[in-house]
Amino acid sequence: MYTSYNNLGKNVDEADAEQIIDMASKASFADQQKQVQENIHNQIKNLCTVMDAILLDVNEPQESQSKATPSRSGLSFAIGRNGPTNNHPDVPKTRPLKRTELSQRLKDSIGYTLDVKQSQIPHSEAGQGLFLNGEATVGSVIAIYPGVIYSPAYYRYIPGYPRVDAQNTYLITRYDGTVINAQPWGFGGETRELWDGSKMLDAKLNRDATEKGSDRFWKMLSKPLESSRVGNGEVLERRNPLALAHFANHPAKDTVPNVMICPYDFPLTEKDMRAYIPNLSFGNAEEVNMRRFGSFWFRWGSRNSESNGPVLKTLVLVATTALCDEEVLLNYRLSNSKRRPSWYTPVDEEEDQRRWS
């Protein structure tokens, strides 16, 4: 409803909202999902067009910044990336803007951008938070969750497995079981570059010091693996001002969230938009068909291909209210079957129980 409402533009009223609710109630779940994906994609496409206008000089031919093969780090040698050196894609030339400059120009164009600074949540563990700088309407795509995408078939490759969250607070899971690890993305960068997510190995845990007996038992059963399967990487715009969703905090007690998570399947056929989607898929590009039984995922049948072509299973934050120069707050909806941190107060306990039942 939020994204459809946003699609109508600024001249909307309550009657329009009621009509959207009525139409949604009559549509099948599949049709609702399709409409949401279309709404989100149109917004993302517009954002990409705006950033292209800022960063690319349409009057100049798009030559790469360097025809030479990007230098390989010691890390890439260590994990055995010995593929042909000429498989690296060229990095298109862009205007030499700093990330802060791109952020300000984006705000000038669409009315808002994002900042990361000290959270206003009154808790010692709040740390940094995500802030909207400017104004955004209901249903606007506020941020994209960046990082490395793991399907259930590759859970064992997530750094720190099986205790993947022991030293990583930047993990998030979609309803379909896809996990996104934003830790290697960090704050982004200062250029458009070939990114292969290799920083994820820099954050590898000292497992000998952190493992418990149950973890060692799990390792014997499930054989956690260490490897990097993101190919040669992708040319991504590391200055993307909206690739900061992982800094959004959970609201404090008696405070309501102002954004919600929305799955977004980015079609990889949209080559012109690819640089602004801050994600890489871990493992084979083809999705492995998996089925969940309780807490476990198992391979089920053969690989299945996407009916509409390959996609990146990402996440975006959508505004649930009009926002103006304020902290972005997201309901984490942590499982009620495990001990929650002291700073966590459920927004809606009944909703959380339905989510995790």
Side-chain angles (χ1 to χ4, degrees), residues 10-297:
K10 296 181 179 180
N11 299 319
V12 294
D13 53 32
E14 291 186 10
D16 294 316
E18 292 295 333
Q19 184 178 6
I20 292 172
I21 294 173
D22 183 61
M23 292 174 60
S25 65
K26 297 176 181 177
S28 67
F29 181 66
D31 286 340
Q32 290 179 28
Q33 284 185 311
K34 184 177 180 180
Q35 185 62 59
V36 170
Q37 289 298 306
E38 183 179 321
N39 294 343
I40 295 296
H41 184 71
N42 287 339
Q43 286 198 51
I44 296 290
K45 192 167 188 176
N46 178 63
L47 292 170
C48 293
T49 300
V50 170
M51 284 191 276
D52 264 352
I54 297 171
L55 290 169
L56 303 182
D57 189 343
V58 295
N59 295 319
E60 292 185 6
Q62 288 304 304
E63 299 179 355
S64 63
Q65 292 178 355
S66 174
K67 291 294 184 180
T69 301
S71 60
R72 298 177 65 197
S73 65
L75 176 62
S76 66
F77 283 109
I79 60 179
R81 290 184 186 161
N82 295 320
T85 57
N86 59 354
N87 285 345
H88 294 286
D90 293 330
V91 181
K93 182 179 180 181
T94 61
R95 292 190 175 99
L97 299 177
K98 295 292 185 181
R99 183 176 54 175
T100 54
E101 294 176 293
L102 173 58
S103 181
Q104 182 58 50
R105 294 198 188 187
L106 181 65
K107 179 186 176 183
D108 294 340
S109 297
I110 67 173
Y112 64 89
T113 188
L114 296 174
D115 296 325
V116 176
K117 53 188 178 181
Q118 183 64 37
S119 175
Q120 295 176 348
I121 296 176
H123 193 283
S124 59
E125 296 183 34
Q128 294 177 312
L130 184 65
F131 290 79
L132 184 110
N133 180 349
E135 297 183 22
T137 56
V138 176
S140 296
V141 172
I142 299 302
I144 308 173
Y145 206 94
V148 181
I149 300 170
Y150 296 84
S151 73
Y154 297 105
Y155 279 174
R156 287 184 292 159
Y157 291 91
I158 301 176
Y161 181 88
R163 299 183 66 217
V164 295
D165 60 343
Q167 295 184 17
N168 185 357
T169 59
Y170 298 113
L171 293 166
I172 196 168
T173 308
R174 293 185 7 150
Y175 284 106
D176 60 7
T178 301
V179 173
I180 305 178
N181 178 16
Q183 191 176 62
W185 184 266
F187 292 92
E190 291 292 346
T191 186
R192 182 172 299 193
E193 64 186 20
L194 183 66
W195 190 68
D196 63 2
S198 59
K199 284 186 179 179
M200 64 180 143
L201 295 185
D202 297 341
K204 188 171 65 175
L205 303 180
N206 181 351
R207 294 185 178 85
D208 293 337
T210 60
E211 281 180 357
K212 297 180 179 179
S214 60
D215 296 335
R216 287 192 288 271
F217 175 72
W218 269 105
K219 289 185 72 171
M220 287 187 292
L221 284 180
S222 56
K223 298 180 182 179
L225 305 171
E226 294 182 11
S227 178
S228 183
R229 296 186 182 181
V230 290
N232 292 317
E234 289 283 348
V235 175
L236 300 182
E237 184 49 71
R238 297 272 284 154
R239 294 167 291 184
N240 187 342
L242 303 185
L244 297 168
H246 52 305
F247 288 105
N249 277 330
H250 181 80
K253 186 178 181 179
D254 299 325
T255 305
V256 296
N258 51 23
V259 297
M260 67 180 293
I261 280 287
C262 183
Y264 169 52
D265 294 345
F266 171 72
L268 289 169
T269 52
E270 296 275 13
K271 302 295 185 182
D272 292 342
M273 299 169 59
R274 180 64 183 95
Y276 301 107
I277 309 302
N279 301 97
L280 295 175
S281 282
F282 188 97
N284 196 307
E286 293 183 6
E287 182 185 1
V288 178
N289 191 15
M290 303 290 287
R291 181 168 293 188
R292 184 173 183 169
F293 294 91
S295 300
F296 303 94
W297 290 86

